Amino acid sequence: MGYDVLLIRYGELALKGKNRSDFEDRLLRNIRNKLKDFPDVKVKKTYGRMLVELNGQAYPPVVERLQEVFGVVGVSPAKRVPTELQALQQAAVALIREQPTQPATFKIAAKRSIKSFPHKSMELNHLIGGYVLKNVDGIKVDVHQPEITVHVEVRAEAAYVYGDDIPGPGGLPVGASGRVALLLSGGIDSPVAGYLALKRGAELQAIHFHSYPFTSERAKQKVIDLAQILTRYGGKIRLHVVPFTEIQTQIRQKCEESYSVTVMRRMMFRIAERIAHKEKALALVTGENLGQVASQTLESMYTINHVIRMPVLRPVVGMDKQEIMNIAKRIGTYETSILPYEDCCTVFLPKSPKTRPDLNATERTESNLDVERLVQEAVDATEVLDLSPDKREEEFTFF
Amino acid sequence: MAYLDNSATTRTDNQVVRVMVDVMNNIYGNPASLHGLGAKAERLVTQAREATARTLGVSPGEIVFTSGGTEGNNTAIKGVAFQYRDRGRHLITTQVEHPSVYGVCKQLEEWGWRVTYLPVDAHGRVRPADVEKAVTDETVLVTVMHVNNEVGTIQPIAEIGALLKRHPKVLFHVDAVQAFGKVDVRPKEWGVDLMTLSGHKFHGPKGVGCLYVREGVSLAPLLTGGGQEGGLRSGTHNVPGIAGFAKAALLAKERQPEAVRRWARWKASLIEQVMSRVEGARVNGDPSPEGSAPHIVSFSFPGLRSEVIVHALEEENVFVSSKSACSSKGEKPSRILLAMGLDPAAAVGSIRISMGYHTTEEEVERCAQALCKVVPRLQKIMT
């Protein structure tokens, strides 16, 4: 008999009042956006969760999309039946029979939200459970660790019967937490950092520093591809590509070599902060880790962070490389990240970079640069690309 | 004219030709070049790879572009044999494979490998249980075609794949050259590790195909050099060919459901007319619609020689094949038909009629009429 609706459970139940309805509205909008390729599917808000009316659409591709919507904690494909005992019993048996592998044990978890229904929840458990035992060969009840829990919900408009839910990505709906600007390199960490910021409900813009001809067009394309992958989770993403060649050249000519990486990062932060202001983003997000590479020491972070006043979120700071790689693989950025194109961070890598840069020494050597002019010129010449999940910018129209 | 030799090759689709012309004129860079023109060609190849992967339900990283079916089969079989030569030197295949599999197996035997050639039933089908029974500790590869090129019989790929799951060290290669675009092909679902496709069998260009290599499978490359295709197939990318291949694959995927219904109808009508009007005619392979690809019909007319029938039909402007085009110049009766238990007289007098997306009802009708006219005439002369 298949499934009629998807019940979407969402989390952060601690949210109250206005926050809660903002959260729900945002989630509803994000889900609708995500499912707009399915013309028959309708999404609505009911008390405490979302309801996706399938209207004949097969559920697996819909669930697949929902698993990319932050805020969704779980999805249950459900059968909608009339509020009659017999219909509930038959639906429970059908649900068990349709499982890909026949479960050996089950339990019924019934609840009713209308008191007019003649059977109480406990009684429903017995009546439906007994019917299942009679009609499914070899199955047993196990109330502690059942292989499947059959949920039965009796509501005013209809009753729903569904099995264990399919986990969603959790988190908060994108847009619920305001806007951030991600420093996106071509590496493994920064796309993951962006993903994690999205997971906490932030709307994402991305900033990339491009040093043509020291870095190639392929390196830029790679970053566009990475941002494009993130649109699956984040919806529209604006990518700022900052021309960085002039600054790198000047640093090389005028600053002490061992401090070049520190000065370069400070310039990046200044530019990023200025772009963030322009775009009304309230924080920067980076893929920085602690101690993973020589330049990511606390001293280095301190010295670099010193030039801006905006909060810098570092979602992967507590993770091991392997954990970051696992997320990158799961969200689909890994394969692109490992493409071997040089990025601007590696172009002028000094022979022995200062791993514990001193703030005063940094400021001294940096004073040889016309910082304000360089920053403003870079911001002014920044190229803006608007990426969206459904409008992949196709260079070729062959396929 | 009725062109019904589409399992030998197809006419390149206009849309495919347009893509290729455009690419040859405008995107002529070498994808391995560093500059922008190279990068553009590289992105085109990337998009073609993504499109191809979509049609198979696999990841882009699992697609290796090749020069076609023969290279795909050689790469898969020799690639596994060489890569795992220290693990074991035993392969399992069937008696009805295409020469590009059969010949590779024979060659490997000369080089010290052991090969089991499994028999088939009267429909040309291998029994999955036989495959599993043949597996030994030395076995590194099972290679079974999906759709037989001479008679159209569909092999039980899903069942074999399921049985081989119990033998995780044995890799499973499928020659799907005659299958793609005609029957459903689901490498992931069926536990297939390697799968060969060829573009010109579904209205793509000649000289380009692809090999699906499941992530995690290592192969020793046949062609080494510049390291293209992840090192599995060196050689400058055939960019227009690859673009044309991907386009043809997408078109095939799109056209398959509708075409399958047409072919099935025409095939039934063709068989019905020939069987009722030509004495001694028989249909080779699996006569059931589920057991056989819808676009291939193989007839035997015992007492006649297939070459003579082909030429007689050609006089009627109907183009069909004796056995598979690659082997039709040989004198011997078809190895495949003999393996199915046909007596040599029937095996010698067999022809294959094969349809494509461009085939029309008139062509099939014309072929039926020509056969019903030509064969009885030849039978009178020969007997």
Side-chain angles (χ1 to χ4, degrees), chain B residues 49-339:
Chain B
R49 197 184 306 282
E50 285 165 1
T52 304
R54 273 204 302 282
T55 66
L56 283 173
V58 305
S59 307
E62 297 176 316
I63 298 292
V64 174
F65 289 115
T66 64
S67 69
T70 296
E71 189 191 315
N73 288 338
N74 270 263
T75 302
I77 300 168
K78 287 179 183 162
V80 169
F82 296 163
Q83 181 73 22
Y84 299 106
R85 61 188 180 280
D86 297 330
R87 186 195 286 171
R89 299 199 179 191
H90 176 235
L91 290 81
I92 299 168
T93 186
T94 76
Q95 292 179 352
V96 295
E97 297 300 310
H98 186 268
S100 61
V101 168
Y102 188 74
V104 175
C105 289
K106 287 283 165 199
Q107 197 179 23
L108 284 170
E109 279 185 303
E110 279 171 34
W111 293 341
W113 272 263
R114 204 161 59 76
V115 181
T116 303
Y117 300 90
L118 294 171
V120 293
D121 64 16
H123 292 160
R125 186 170 295 115
V126 69
R127 280 164 294 261
D130 286 357
V131 176
E132 203 189 15
K133 250 184 274 165
V135 172
T136 69
D137 288 345
E138 298 280 291
T139 310
V140 290
L141 182 76
V142 170
T143 171
V144 177
M145 70 195 332
H146 193 171
V147 168
N148 185 274
N149 54 302
E150 288 192 27
V151 296
T153 297
I154 300 172
Q155 298 293 354
I157 299 301
E159 288 91 326
I160 297 171
L163 289 176
L164 289 178
K165 285 216 171 95
R166 302 205 285 248
H167 306 274
K169 282 187 166 177
V170 179
L171 294 172
F172 185 25
H173 168 244
V174 172
D175 169 4
V177 166
Q178 295 290 352
F180 182 81
K182 283 90 180 189
V183 299
D184 282 342
V185 170
R186 298 183 192 150
K188 288 271 172 215
E189 221 172 287
W190 297 339
V192 173
D193 300 298
L194 297 147
M195 182 177 270
T196 306
L197 304 190
S198 174
H200 74 106
K201 304 293 190 189
F202 46 87
H203 302 274
K206 292 169 182 62
V208 59
C210 82
L211 179 66
Y212 157 72
V213 182
R214 181 179 59 74
E215 195 196 340
V217 172
S218 325
L219 294 181
L222 295 189
L223 300 178
T224 47
Q228 287 89 346
E229 296 299 277
L232 278 179
R233 206 277 184 184
S234 290
T236 297
H237 286 102
N238 173 3
V239 181
I242 288 168
F245 174 86
K247 182 70 183 178
L250 288 172
L251 289 173
K253 198 76 189 161
E254 191 182 306
R255 291 169 175 173
Q256 179 179 333
E258 187 55 39
V260 163
R261 280 195 287 276
R262 287 197 305 266
W263 291 331
R265 207 166 60 234
W266 300 342
K267 177 174 174 174
S269 149
L270 177 64
I271 290 175
E272 204 271 319
Q273 292 187 54
V274 170
M275 295 305 284
S276 64
R277 288 162 61 190
V278 180
E279 211 174 312
R282 58 161 287 167
V283 179
N284 301 315
D286 190 333
S288 75
E290 316 78 56
S292 177
H295 67 300
I296 296 178
V297 190
S298 170
F299 288 113
S300 272
F301 306 104
L304 299 184
R305 277 179 48 217
S306 52
E307 199 182 319
V308 176
I309 308 171
V310 169
H311 290 314
L313 287 172
E314 188 173 356
E315 280 184 340
E316 305 289 322
N317 244 332
V318 173
F319 298 84
V320 305
S321 180
S322 51
K323 30 198 171 168
S324 83
C326 316
S327 61
S328 54
K329 282 180 187 142
E331 297 278 315
K332 285 179 285 183
S334 154
R335 163 175 59 82
I336 280 95
L337 296 177
L338 292 182

Side-chain angles (χ1 to χ4, degrees), chain A residues 212 216-218 221 225 335 341 392-399, chain B residues 22-23 27 31 33-34 38-40 42-44 47 243 247 250:
Chain A
Y212 196 78
S216 69
E217 281 297 314
R218 280 179 170 84
Q221 186 61 44
D225 291 345
E335 292 298 322
Y341 310 126
R392 206 192 148 137
E393 205 194 324
E394 289 293 1
E395 187 173 358
F396 310 104
T397 50
F398 302 140
F399 309 121
Chain B
D22 197 348
V23 172
I27 307 171
S33 292
L34 281 175
K40 193 169 176 181
E42 187 191 35
R43 287 199 294 281
L44 175 59
Q47 282 183 22
K247 182 70 183 178
L250 288 172

